[in-house]
Amino acid sequence: MGKLTVGSNPTPSAISTSKRRVIGDGMEVASDTSPLSDHELMGLAIEEARIGSEQGEVPIGAVVVVDGKVIARRHNEREQSQDPTSHAELLAVRDAAAQLGSWRLENATVVVTLEPCAMCAGLMVNARVARVVFGARSYENGACGSLYQLGSDPRLNHEFETVSDVRAAECSELLSTYFAGLR
C-alpha cells in the first residue's frame, strides 16, 4: 500500500462487487463510476512502462487523472526520440495540458512508476499538479522525497501532495529486470 508523505489521506475508491471491469494487468475493478484507486492507477502506469520496455525504453510509465478520469498515458521515449526530456511523466503532463486546453493542472493526479527527477518534479510544480503518486524510489535522483522534496518546498510558488511506494516492488522489479537484460 502507498505511504502518504505530504497532505491529507487520499479517498479510497469504493469497489462494487456486483459489476466488474478489467483494467491494466487483467485487474478486476468496479465498473460503476467510482474513481480508480492509486493501486489501480499504478497498474495502468505499469502497463505503459511495459510498452516502453518492449520498444527499448527504460520501463517507466505515467498516467494523468483529472476528476477520476485518465486523460493521458505515456511511457519514456528518450531512446526513440533522442530527447533527454522525453520522460514518461513529462510527456503525460504535456498531453494532459493539451487535452484540457490549459497549462494549469490544478485538479490533476500524476501517477508514475518511478519517483520523479528534479526536471519532472519541477514541471509538476509549474503545472500546479495537485498530487503525485509514485511506485519505486529513485535514490540517485528522486525529487519527491528521496533526495529532494520539491513538492512540499515552501520556497516555491506551488506545493503538491506526494504519495510514495505504491506497488513499489512491482515497479522496482520492472527496472531491475530491464537493466539486468542490458548486462
Side-chain angles (χ1 to χ4, degrees):
M1 193 69 172
K3 183 173 78 179
L4 186 64
T5 56
V6 176
S8 62
N9 287 329
T11 305
S13 64
I15 303 277
S16 165
T17 56
S18 58
K19 298 179 192 169
R20 312 293 289 173
R21 70 179 185 268
V22 177
I23 64 163
D25 298 331
M27 180 188 329
E28 275 193 26
V29 296
S31 63
D32 59 16
T33 58
S34 299
L36 298 175
S37 69
D38 292 345
H39 183 89
E40 294 161 342
L41 290 167
M42 188 60 73
L44 297 176
I46 289 169
E47 193 174 87
E48 277 298 314
R50 287 187 177 130
I51 292 168
S53 181
E54 291 168 4
Q55 296 174 2
E57 299 287 345
V58 174
I60 300 170
V63 298
V64 179
V65 181
V66 175
D67 298 327
K69 295 179 184 151
V70 175
I71 62 168
R73 294 173 57 149
R74 293 295 286 268
H75 55 269
N76 268 19
E77 295 181 11
R78 290 192 317 171
E79 297 302 323
Q80 178 182 337
S81 67
Q82 290 300 299
D83 178 353
T85 68
S86 290
H87 290 198
E89 59 269 51
L90 187 145
L91 297 171
V93 166
R94 280 184 184 163
D95 288 354
Q99 177 80 11
L100 296 174
S102 175
W103 62 268
R104 287 184 174 92
L105 302 179
E106 294 162 335
N107 296 319
T109 295
V110 177
V111 180
V112 60
T113 56
L114 181 65
E115 180 179 359
C117 68
M119 175 183 69
C120 293
L123 164 74
M124 291 177 217
V125 168
N126 287 318
R128 312 297 195 266
V129 166
R131 293 177 73 228
V132 173
V133 177
F134 69 86
R137 291 182 179 268
S138 176
Y139 295 105
E140 295 80 24
N141 62 11
C144 291
S146 292
L147 289 180
Y148 308 103
Q149 182 43 283
L150 293 182
S152 65
D153 189 330
R155 298 170 296 177
L156 300 176
N157 63 345
H158 175 73
E159 295 180 38
F160 54 78
E161 177 185 318
T162 302
V163 179
S164 62
D165 304 317
V166 175
R167 297 176 73 166
E170 290 172 76
C171 295
S172 293
E173 181 62 28
L174 274 174
L175 291 162
S176 297
T177 300
Y178 174 82
F179 287 114
L182 294 179
R183 295 183 186 113

